[in-house]
């Protein structure tokens, strides 16, 4: 779960260093007043860590999503497919491009449903966004193949799985563009922040200019003189965010290992049970939630009681459904999308996500697992 649990001395020192180096908080320019560019370093460290050719830091995951959509050319009248179990930001970003969000199902394992997506592709489909929800990787490689077949760009929302990977690479690096969030609830955090990753030079150049008012950003031209080459916006990250982000990135592997230890404790109580959300075969997710699915009758209520007795809460399911289920977003997706979301609402109503917290001891997870196991028999 969140990088906020491990925020400490290193992040405080990194913040102080920005002031000790002259207090330049802006990502660009002021060259004579400093010798450090934290945003640029955070970007290049991210490229190295995740093995991406290019990266563009942004203020948030939401602004990275909007930038990604603009970079692949989404505009008025276009359709963009994304899934029903999601975070509202994807649909908002599509809406903000004056495009139409088309909602496709998730399957019983809460993953992006390729079959339903295929049924929704048509000549107006300009992009597809797959979201890896709650630390478990979705079928991104199959979707990339579909994207190639139909010549549709794939945007990979990896905001909830930063640092997760499969045998072929890190999530966020499979699609044409991948997007991370570093908001306060994410695996690593800098308060608010985002990153766009891509191997496509054209998309990168678009993203770089779009996030900085459409300016050309030519290194040899003085900042005030660089030309505005396209419509853009201000989605810039600050030096303080980046200084903290760099420290958190160094902690990421350890954060995921700590998650995994706790996740495995719970998982060992329920080997291969159909009521536990499963990972795809070769997925090493980010293990920040342990999820019960397909619950029957009163099981969800009983699990909630056991969690309460053990002083544990839930994460998103069911406490933040309105943020994560398209059933609640008729204002963005219209009646058709709302109707299509009913099935997912039902699936999600029978699921419970338990947060994996590094500050909670292994013993506490042992006790919780034993209590839950006793209930399931
Ligand atoms: C799947 C997903 N996409 C996008 C976002 C948006 O990120 P941010 O909060 O950095 O704007 C979030 C944040 O919760 C998310 O969970």
């Amino acid at each position: 779960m969140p990088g906020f649990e491990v925020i400490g001395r290193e992040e405080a020192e990194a913040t102080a260093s920005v002031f000790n180096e002259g207090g330049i908080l802006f990502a660009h320019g002021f060259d004579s007043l400093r010798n450090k560019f934290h945003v640029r370093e955070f970007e290049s460290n991210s490229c190295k860590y995740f093995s991406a050719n290019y990266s563009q830091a942004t203020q948030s995951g939401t602004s990275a999503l909007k930038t990604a959509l603009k970079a692949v050319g989404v505009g008025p009248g276009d359709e963009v497919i994304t899934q029903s179990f999601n975070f509202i930001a994807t649909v908002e970003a599509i809406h903000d491009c004056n495009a139409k969000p088309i909602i496709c199902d998730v399957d019983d394992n809460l993953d992006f449903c390729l079959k339903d997506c295929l049924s929704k592709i048509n000549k107006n489909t300009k992009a597809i966004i797959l979201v890896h929800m709650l630390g478990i990787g979705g079928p991104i490689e199959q979707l990339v193949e579909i994207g190639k077949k139909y010549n549709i760009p794939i945007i990979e929302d990896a905001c909830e799985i930063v640092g997760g990977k499969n045998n072929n690479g890190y999530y966020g690096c499979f699609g044409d563009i991948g997007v991370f969030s570093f908001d306060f609830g994410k695996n690593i955090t800098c308060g608010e922040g985002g990153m766009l990753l891509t191997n496509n030079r054209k998309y990168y150049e678009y993203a770089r200019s779009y996030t900085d008012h459409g300016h050309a950003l030519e290194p040899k031209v003085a900042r005030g003189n660089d030309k505005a080459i396209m419509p853009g916006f201000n989605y810039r990250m600050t030096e303080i965010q980046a200084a903290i982000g760099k420290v958190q990135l160094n902690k990421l592997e350890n954060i995921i290992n700590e998650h995994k230890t706790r996740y495995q404790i719970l998982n060992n109580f329920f080997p291969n049970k159909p009521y536990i959300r499963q990972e795809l075969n070769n997925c090493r997710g980010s293990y920040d939630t342990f999820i019960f699915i397909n619950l029957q009758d009163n099981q969800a209520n009983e699990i909630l009681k056991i969690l309460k007795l053990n002083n544990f809460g839930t994460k998103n399911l069911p406490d933040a459904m309105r943020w994560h289920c398209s059933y609640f977003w008729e204002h963005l997706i219209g009646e058709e999308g709302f109707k299509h979301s009913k099935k997912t609402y039902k699936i999600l109503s029978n699921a419970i996500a338990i947060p994996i917290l590094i500050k909670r001891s292994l013993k506490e997870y042992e006790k919780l697992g034993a209590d839950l196991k006793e209930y399931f028999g």
Side-chain angles (χ1 to χ4, degrees):
M1 180 115 146
F4 78 74
E5 287 189 285
V6 298
I7 283 185
R9 189 174 42 82
E10 298 91 343
E11 285 81 355
E13 283 173 3
T15 307
S17 77
V18 179
F19 294 98
N20 296 335
E21 289 153 8
I24 305 301
L25 308 184
F26 192 54
H28 302 278
F30 298 90
D31 296 22
S32 62
L33 298 178
R34 59 161 158 194
N35 52 22
K36 276 270 187 192
F37 289 82
H38 293 278
V39 174
R40 297 290 88 84
E41 272 184 25
F42 189 26
E43 288 167 344
S44 66
N45 294 358
S46 298
C47 280
K48 275 190 215 120
Y49 193 102
F50 299 105
S51 300
N53 288 352
Y54 308 106
S55 63
Q56 175 62 51
T58 57
Q59 285 167 349
S60 67
T62 307
S63 50
L65 273 168
K66 165 108 182 277
T67 303
L69 288 165
K70 298 287 286 185
V72 302
V74 170
D78 292 333
E79 294 187 359
V80 179
I81 302 174
T82 192
Q83 73 225 47
S84 49
F85 176 38
N86 203 323
F87 179 70
I88 195 167
T90 54
V91 173
E92 285 173 324
I94 297 166
H95 189 263
D96 220 37
C97 292
N98 294 314
K100 184 174 177 199
I102 302 293
I103 297 297
C104 78
D105 290 335
V106 288
D107 59 22
D108 284 346
N109 196 48
L110 312 187
D111 293 326
F112 184 96
C113 178
L114 295 168
K115 195 169 159 221
D116 195 39
C117 171
L118 271 170
S119 77
K120 301 204 154 42
I121 291 176
N122 66 55
K123 64 177 178 7
N124 298 321
T125 310
K126 189 72 184 193
I128 302 173
I129 308 178
L130 178 146
V131 190
H132 301 288
M133 291 301 289
L134 289 177
I136 287 188
I140 184 67
E141 286 168 290
Q142 293 96 311
L143 184 63
V144 166
E145 289 310 312
I146 292 172
K148 279 187 196 145
K149 181 170 168 201
Y150 291 92
N151 199 20
I152 299 171
I154 305 300
I155 296 172
E156 189 183 358
D157 181 334
C159 292
E160 296 194 5
I161 198 168
V162 178
K165 58 187 173 184
N166 72 19
N167 294 346
N168 299 323
Y170 280 97
Y171 292 114
C173 298
F174 290 101
D176 294 277
I177 300 182
V179 169
F180 289 159
S181 163
F182 308 125
D183 75 23
F184 209 56
K186 295 300 183 285
N187 291 335
I188 56 174
T189 183
C190 48
E192 296 279 4
M195 191 73 75
L196 178 153
L197 302 168
T198 183
N199 290 329
N200 180 313
R201 173 101 202 154
K202 198 176 86 197
Y203 293 153
Y204 165 65
E205 282 178 358
Y206 185 99
R208 209 167 68 130
S209 289
Y210 182 72
T211 52
D212 190 24
H213 296 296
H215 278 75
L217 296 173
E218 290 170 38
K220 289 192 186 129
V221 179
R223 184 154 173 86
N225 282 338
D226 53 359
K227 281 193 236 129
I229 50 171
M230 53 184 257
F233 224 72
N234 173 8
Y235 286 145
R236 293 184 298 251
M237 180 180 270
T238 69
E239 292 290 274
I240 291 181
Q241 285 171 292
I244 296 171
K246 282 190 295 174
V247 174
Q248 288 260 307
L249 186 60
N250 290 337
K251 296 183 176 182
L252 181 55
E253 188 64 23
N254 190 44
I255 289 173
I256 292 185
N257 288 337
E258 292 285 341
H259 289 163
K260 191 168 179 185
T261 308
R262 287 158 180 76
Y263 183 98
Q264 292 295 12
I265 289 174
L266 292 179
N267 205 34
N268 288 343
F269 283 99
F270 306 100
N272 301 319
K273 291 292 188 203
Y275 49 82
I276 304 298
R277 187 177 182 210
Q278 302 293 324
E279 292 193 296
L280 295 176
N281 271 342
N282 62 358
C283 168
R284 187 215 74 168
S286 59
Y287 302 109
D288 56 322
T289 44
F290 183 80
I291 304 166
F292 286 93
I293 51 174
N294 304 321
L295 297 169
Q296 311 289 320
D297 307 323
N298 201 29
Q299 285 178 329
N301 284 335
E302 293 302 318
I303 292 174
L304 288 175
K305 275 190 213 157
I306 295 167
L307 288 175
K308 199 163 175 210
L309 282 173
N310 282 276
N311 203 17
F312 274 90
T314 56
K315 183 172 173 186
N316 298 351
L317 301 175
D319 54 283
M321 279 265 253
R322 284 171 188 276
W323 292 77
H324 295 93
C325 178
S326 57
Y327 180 74
F328 296 99
W329 309 335
E330 194 171 350
H331 62 297
L332 294 163
I333 61 179
E335 198 184 344
E336 197 186 330
F338 163 72
K339 281 189 183 151
H340 195 77
S341 307
K342 285 185 182 169
K343 188 169 147 202
T344 300
Y345 178 59
K346 206 159 168 238
I347 295 175
L348 296 182
S349 302
N350 293 319
I352 289 193
I354 304 174
I356 301 292
L357 295 158
I358 297 175
K359 291 211 163 140
R360 302 296 296 264
S361 68
L362 305 189
K363 263 196 177 150
E364 287 178 287
Y365 280 97
E366 296 274 7
K367 161 86 169 49
L368 178 63
D371 286 358
L372 288 164
K373 167 90 181 168
E374 190 184 340
Y375 165 68
F376 278 95

